[in-house]
mmCIF file with all atom_site columns, all heavy atoms in Angstrom:
data_model
loop_
_atom_site.group_PDB
_atom_site.id
_atom_site.type_symbol
_atom_site.label_atom_id
_atom_site.label_alt_id
_atom_site.label_comp_id
_atom_site.label_asym_id
_atom_site.label_entity_id
_atom_site.label_seq_id
_atom_site.pdbx_PDB_ins_code
_atom_site.Cartn_x
_atom_site.Cartn_y
_atom_site.Cartn_z
_atom_site.occupancy
_atom_site.B_iso_or_equiv
_atom_site.pdbx_formal_charge
_atom_site.auth_seq_id
_atom_site.auth_comp_id
_atom_site.auth_asym_id
_atom_site.auth_atom_id
_atom_site.pdbx_PDB_model_num
ATOM 1   N N   . ARG A 1 8  ? -0.630  0.319  20.727 1.00 0.00 ? 29 ARG A N   1
ATOM 2   C CA  . ARG A 1 8  ? -0.416  -0.025 19.325 1.00 0.00 ? 29 ARG A CA  1
ATOM 3   C C   . ARG A 1 8  ? 0.804   0.642  18.732 1.00 0.00 ? 29 ARG A C   1
ATOM 4   O O   . ARG A 1 8  ? 1.328   0.189  17.723 1.00 0.00 ? 29 ARG A O   1
ATOM 5   C CB  . ARG A 1 8  ? -1.647  0.377  18.517 1.00 0.00 ? 29 ARG A CB  1
ATOM 6   C CG  . ARG A 1 8  ? -2.849  -0.419 18.871 1.00 0.00 ? 29 ARG A CG  1
ATOM 7   C CD  . ARG A 1 8  ? -4.000  -0.064 18.016 1.00 0.00 ? 29 ARG A CD  1
ATOM 8   N NE  . ARG A 1 8  ? -3.909  1.320  17.537 1.00 0.00 ? 29 ARG A NE  1
ATOM 9   C CZ  . ARG A 1 8  ? -4.886  1.976  16.999 1.00 0.00 ? 29 ARG A CZ  1
ATOM 10  N NH1 . ARG A 1 8  ? -6.041  1.418  16.852 1.00 0.00 ? 29 ARG A NH1 1
ATOM 11  N NH2 . ARG A 1 8  ? -4.740  3.212  16.582 1.00 0.00 ? 29 ARG A NH2 1
ATOM 12  N N   . SER A 1 20 ? -0.534  -2.416 10.003 1.00 0.00 ? 41 SER A N   1
ATOM 13  C CA  . SER A 1 20 ? -1.966  -2.325 10.292 1.00 0.00 ? 41 SER A CA  1
ATOM 14  C C   . SER A 1 20 ? -2.245  -1.804 11.699 1.00 0.00 ? 41 SER A C   1
ATOM 15  O O   . SER A 1 20 ? -3.377  -1.435 11.997 1.00 0.00 ? 41 SER A O   1
ATOM 16  C CB  . SER A 1 20 ? -2.635  -3.682 10.107 1.00 0.00 ? 41 SER A CB  1
ATOM 17  O OG  . SER A 1 20 ? -2.107  -4.614 11.022 1.00 0.00 ? 41 SER A OG  1
ATOM 18  N N   . GLU A 1 22 ? -1.414  0.948  12.795 1.00 0.00 ? 43 GLU A N   1
ATOM 19  C CA  . GLU A 1 22 ? -1.590  2.393  12.729 1.00 0.00 ? 43 GLU A CA  1
ATOM 20  C C   . GLU A 1 22 ? -3.060  2.798  12.782 1.00 0.00 ? 43 GLU A C   1
ATOM 21  O O   . GLU A 1 22 ? -3.379  3.881  13.231 1.00 0.00 ? 43 GLU A O   1
ATOM 22  C CB  . GLU A 1 22 ? -0.962  2.945  11.448 1.00 0.00 ? 43 GLU A CB  1
ATOM 23  C CG  . GLU A 1 22 ? 0.541   2.825  11.427 1.00 0.00 ? 43 GLU A CG  1
ATOM 24  C CD  . GLU A 1 22 ? 1.140   3.364  10.158 1.00 0.00 ? 43 GLU A CD  1
ATOM 25  O OE1 . GLU A 1 22 ? 0.465   4.148  9.456  1.00 0.00 ? 43 GLU A OE1 1
ATOM 26  O OE2 . GLU A 1 22 ? 2.273   3.010  9.855  1.00 0.00 ? 43 GLU A OE2 1
ATOM 27  N N   . TRP A 1 23 ? -3.942  1.962  12.272 1.00 0.00 ? 44 TRP A N   1
ATOM 28  C CA  . TRP A 1 23 ? -5.361  2.283  12.231 1.00 0.00 ? 44 TRP A CA  1
ATOM 29  C C   . TRP A 1 23 ? -6.142  1.298  13.076 1.00 0.00 ? 44 TRP A C   1
ATOM 30  O O   . TRP A 1 23 ? -5.814  0.126  13.151 1.00 0.00 ? 44 TRP A O   1
ATOM 31  C CB  . TRP A 1 23 ? -5.893  2.190  10.805 1.00 0.00 ? 44 TRP A CB  1
ATOM 32  C CG  . TRP A 1 23 ? -5.553  3.348  9.923  1.00 0.00 ? 44 TRP A CG  1
ATOM 33  C CD1 . TRP A 1 23 ? -4.554  4.249  10.095 1.00 0.00 ? 44 TRP A CD1 1
ATOM 34  C CD2 . TRP A 1 23 ? -6.205  3.699  8.712  1.00 0.00 ? 44 TRP A CD2 1
ATOM 35  N NE1 . TRP A 1 23 ? -4.534  5.143  9.081  1.00 0.00 ? 44 TRP A NE1 1
ATOM 36  C CE2 . TRP A 1 23 ? -5.540  4.834  8.201  1.00 0.00 ? 44 TRP A CE2 1
ATOM 37  C CE3 . TRP A 1 23 ? -7.264  3.164  8.017  1.00 0.00 ? 44 TRP A CE3 1
ATOM 38  C CZ2 . TRP A 1 23 ? -5.927  5.441  7.023  1.00 0.00 ? 44 TRP A CZ2 1
ATOM 39  C CZ3 . TRP A 1 23 ? -7.645  3.771  6.832  1.00 0.00 ? 44 TRP A CZ3 1
ATOM 40  C CH2 . TRP A 1 23 ? -6.981  4.906  6.345  1.00 0.00 ? 44 TRP A CH2 1
ATOM 41  N N   . ASN A 1 24 ? -7.223  1.801  13.706 1.00 0.00 ? 45 ASN A N   1
ATOM 42  C CA  . ASN A 1 24 ? -8.149  0.899  14.384 1.00 0.00 ? 45 ASN A CA  1
ATOM 43  C C   . ASN A 1 24 ? -9.459  0.907  13.596 1.00 0.00 ? 45 ASN A C   1
ATOM 44  O O   . ASN A 1 24 ? -9.536  1.451  12.503 1.00 0.00 ? 45 ASN A O   1
ATOM 45  C CB  . ASN A 1 24 ? -8.331  1.283  15.861 1.00 0.00 ? 45 ASN A CB  1
ATOM 46  C CG  . ASN A 1 24 ? -8.945  2.648  16.038 1.00 0.00 ? 45 ASN A CG  1
ATOM 47  O OD1 . ASN A 1 24 ? -9.548  3.193  15.121 1.00 0.00 ? 45 ASN A OD1 1
ATOM 48  N ND2 . ASN A 1 24 ? -8.796  3.217  17.209 1.00 0.00 ? 45 ASN A ND2 1
ATOM 49  N N   . VAL A 1 25 ? -10.497 0.331  14.151 1.00 0.00 ? 46 VAL A N   1
ATOM 50  C CA  . VAL A 1 25 ? -11.768 0.202  13.436 1.00 0.00 ? 46 VAL A CA  1
ATOM 51  C C   . VAL A 1 25 ? -12.331 1.567  13.053 1.00 0.00 ? 46 VAL A C   1
ATOM 52  O O   . VAL A 1 25 ? -12.854 1.749  11.951 1.00 0.00 ? 46 VAL A O   1
ATOM 53  C CB  . VAL A 1 25 ? -12.784 -0.588 14.298 1.00 0.00 ? 46 VAL A CB  1
ATOM 54  C CG1 . VAL A 1 25 ? -14.157 -0.596 13.648 1.00 0.00 ? 46 VAL A CG1 1
ATOM 55  C CG2 . VAL A 1 25 ? -12.292 -2.000 14.521 1.00 0.00 ? 46 VAL A CG2 1
ATOM 56  N N   . LEU A 1 26 ? -12.201 2.548  13.917 1.00 0.00 ? 47 LEU A N   1
ATOM 57  C CA  . LEU A 1 26 ? -12.756 3.873  13.636 1.00 0.00 ? 47 LEU A CA  1
ATOM 58  C C   . LEU A 1 26 ? -12.118 4.486  12.392 1.00 0.00 ? 47 LEU A C   1
ATOM 59  O O   . LEU A 1 26 ? -12.825 5.030  11.531 1.00 0.00 ? 47 LEU A O   1
ATOM 60  C CB  . LEU A 1 26 ? -12.558 4.794  14.842 1.00 0.00 ? 47 LEU A CB  1
ATOM 61  C CG  . LEU A 1 26 ? -13.095 6.211  14.679 1.00 0.00 ? 47 LEU A CG  1
ATOM 62  C CD1 . LEU A 1 26 ? -14.602 6.179  14.435 1.00 0.00 ? 47 LEU A CD1 1
ATOM 63  C CD2 . LEU A 1 26 ? -12.770 7.038  15.898 1.00 0.00 ? 47 LEU A CD2 1
ATOM 64  N N   . GLU A 1 27 ? -10.805 4.395  12.265 1.00 0.00 ? 48 GLU A N   1
ATOM 65  C CA  . GLU A 1 27 ? -10.138 4.962  11.095 1.00 0.00 ? 48 GLU A CA  1
ATOM 66  C C   . GLU A 1 27 ? -10.586 4.274  9.812  1.00 0.00 ? 48 GLU A C   1
ATOM 67  O O   . GLU A 1 27 ? -10.791 4.912  8.782  1.00 0.00 ? 48 GLU A O   1
ATOM 68  C CB  . GLU A 1 27 ? -8.616  4.879  11.231 1.00 0.00 ? 48 GLU A CB  1
ATOM 69  C CG  . GLU A 1 27 ? -8.012  5.949  12.113 1.00 0.00 ? 48 GLU A CG  1
ATOM 70  C CD  . GLU A 1 27 ? -7.948  5.573  13.575 1.00 0.00 ? 48 GLU A CD  1
ATOM 71  O OE1 . GLU A 1 27 ? -8.319  4.433  13.917 1.00 0.00 ? 48 GLU A OE1 1
ATOM 72  O OE2 . GLU A 1 27 ? -7.527  6.414  14.376 1.00 0.00 ? 48 GLU A OE2 1
ATOM 73  N N   . TYR A 1 28 ? -10.736 2.950  9.859  1.00 0.00 ? 49 TYR A N   1
ATOM 74  C CA  . TYR A 1 28 ? -11.207 2.230  8.678  1.00 0.00 ? 49 TYR A CA  1
ATOM 75  C C   . TYR A 1 28 ? -12.632 2.637  8.310  1.00 0.00 ? 49 TYR A C   1
ATOM 76  O O   . TYR A 1 28 ? -12.960 2.812  7.137  1.00 0.00 ? 49 TYR A O   1
ATOM 77  C CB  . TYR A 1 28 ? -11.137 0.713  8.903  1.00 0.00 ? 49 TYR A CB  1
ATOM 78  C CG  . TYR A 1 28 ? -9.744  0.158  8.761  1.00 0.00 ? 49 TYR A CG  1
ATOM 79  C CD1 . TYR A 1 28 ? -8.978  -0.147 9.881  1.00 0.00 ? 49 TYR A CD1 1
ATOM 80  C CD2 . TYR A 1 28 ? -9.185  -0.068 7.508  1.00 0.00 ? 49 TYR A CD2 1
ATOM 81  C CE1 . TYR A 1 28 ? -7.696  -0.653 9.756  1.00 0.00 ? 49 TYR A CE1 1
ATOM 82  C CE2 . TYR A 1 28 ? -7.903  -0.573 7.371  1.00 0.00 ? 49 TYR A CE2 1
ATOM 83  C CZ  . TYR A 1 28 ? -7.163  -0.873 8.497  1.00 0.00 ? 49 TYR A CZ  1
ATOM 84  O OH  . TYR A 1 28 ? -5.896  -1.367 8.366  1.00 0.00 ? 49 TYR A OH  1
ATOM 85  N N   . LEU A 1 29 ? -13.497 2.802  9.316  1.00 0.00 ? 50 LEU A N   1
ATOM 86  C CA  . LEU A 1 29 ? -14.886 3.205  9.045  1.00 0.00 ? 50 LEU A CA  1
ATOM 87  C C   . LEU A 1 29 ? -14.962 4.619  8.479  1.00 0.00 ? 50 LEU A C   1
ATOM 88  O O   . LEU A 1 29 ? -15.748 4.889  7.559  1.00 0.00 ? 50 LEU A O   1
ATOM 89  C CB  . LEU A 1 29 ? -15.724 3.097  10.316 1.00 0.00 ? 50 LEU A CB  1
ATOM 90  C CG  . LEU A 1 29 ? -16.025 1.679  10.796 1.00 0.00 ? 50 LEU A CG  1
ATOM 91  C CD1 . LEU A 1 29 ? -16.732 1.725  12.146 1.00 0.00 ? 50 LEU A CD1 1
ATOM 92  C CD2 . LEU A 1 29 ? -16.861 0.928  9.778  1.00 0.00 ? 50 LEU A CD2 1
ATOM 93  N N   . VAL A 1 30 ? -14.166 5.523  8.995  1.00 0.00 ? 51 VAL A N   1
ATOM 94  C CA  . VAL A 1 30 ? -14.165 6.899  8.482  1.00 0.00 ? 51 VAL A CA  1
ATOM 95  C C   . VAL A 1 30 ? -13.673 6.918  7.039  1.00 0.00 ? 51 VAL A C   1
ATOM 96  O O   . VAL A 1 30 ? -14.249 7.599  6.181  1.00 0.00 ? 51 VAL A O   1
ATOM 97  C CB  . VAL A 1 30 ? -13.310 7.818  9.380  1.00 0.00 ? 51 VAL A CB  1
ATOM 98  C CG1 . VAL A 1 30 ? -13.076 9.165  8.717  1.00 0.00 ? 51 VAL A CG1 1
ATOM 99  C CG2 . VAL A 1 30 ? -13.965 7.999  10.733 1.00 0.00 ? 51 VAL A CG2 1
ATOM 100 N N   . ALA A 1 31 ? -12.612 6.161  6.751  1.00 0.00 ? 52 ALA A N   1
ATOM 101 C CA  . ALA A 1 31 ? -12.107 6.100  5.375  1.00 0.00 ? 52 ALA A CA  1
ATOM 102 C C   . ALA A 1 31 ? -13.180 5.565  4.437  1.00 0.00 ? 52 ALA A C   1
ATOM 103 O O   . ALA A 1 31 ? -13.383 6.081  3.332  1.00 0.00 ? 52 ALA A O   1
ATOM 104 C CB  . ALA A 1 31 ? -10.852 5.238  5.312  1.00 0.00 ? 52 ALA A CB  1
ATOM 105 N N   . ARG A 1 32 ? -13.890 4.539  4.863  1.00 0.00 ? 53 ARG A N   1
ATOM 106 C CA  . ARG A 1 32 ? -14.950 3.957  4.033  1.00 0.00 ? 53 ARG A CA  1
ATOM 107 C C   . ARG A 1 32 ? -16.100 4.944  3.831  1.00 0.00 ? 53 ARG A C   1
ATOM 108 O O   . ARG A 1 32 ? -16.663 5.045  2.737  1.00 0.00 ? 53 ARG A O   1
ATOM 109 C CB  . ARG A 1 32 ? -15.466 2.667  4.685  1.00 0.00 ? 53 ARG A CB  1
ATOM 110 C CG  . ARG A 1 32 ? -16.459 1.920  3.887  1.00 0.00 ? 53 ARG A CG  1
ATOM 111 C CD  . ARG A 1 32 ? -15.868 1.468  2.540  1.00 0.00 ? 53 ARG A CD  1
ATOM 112 N NE  . ARG A 1 32 ? -16.933 1.036  1.679  1.00 0.00 ? 53 ARG A NE  1
ATOM 113 C CZ  . ARG A 1 32 ? -17.283 1.643  0.551  1.00 0.00 ? 53 ARG A CZ  1
ATOM 114 N NH1 . ARG A 1 32 ? -16.627 2.697  0.117  1.00 0.00 ? 53 ARG A NH1 1
ATOM 115 N NH2 . ARG A 1 32 ? -18.284 1.194  -0.168 1.00 0.00 ? 53 ARG A NH2 1
#
Side-chain angles (χ1 to χ4, degrees):
R29 294 183 332 194
S41 63
E43 293 180 19
W44 283 20
N45 63 18
V46 173
L47 180 61
E48 281 88 4
Y49 282 102
L50 289 174
V51 169
R53 185 61 194 114

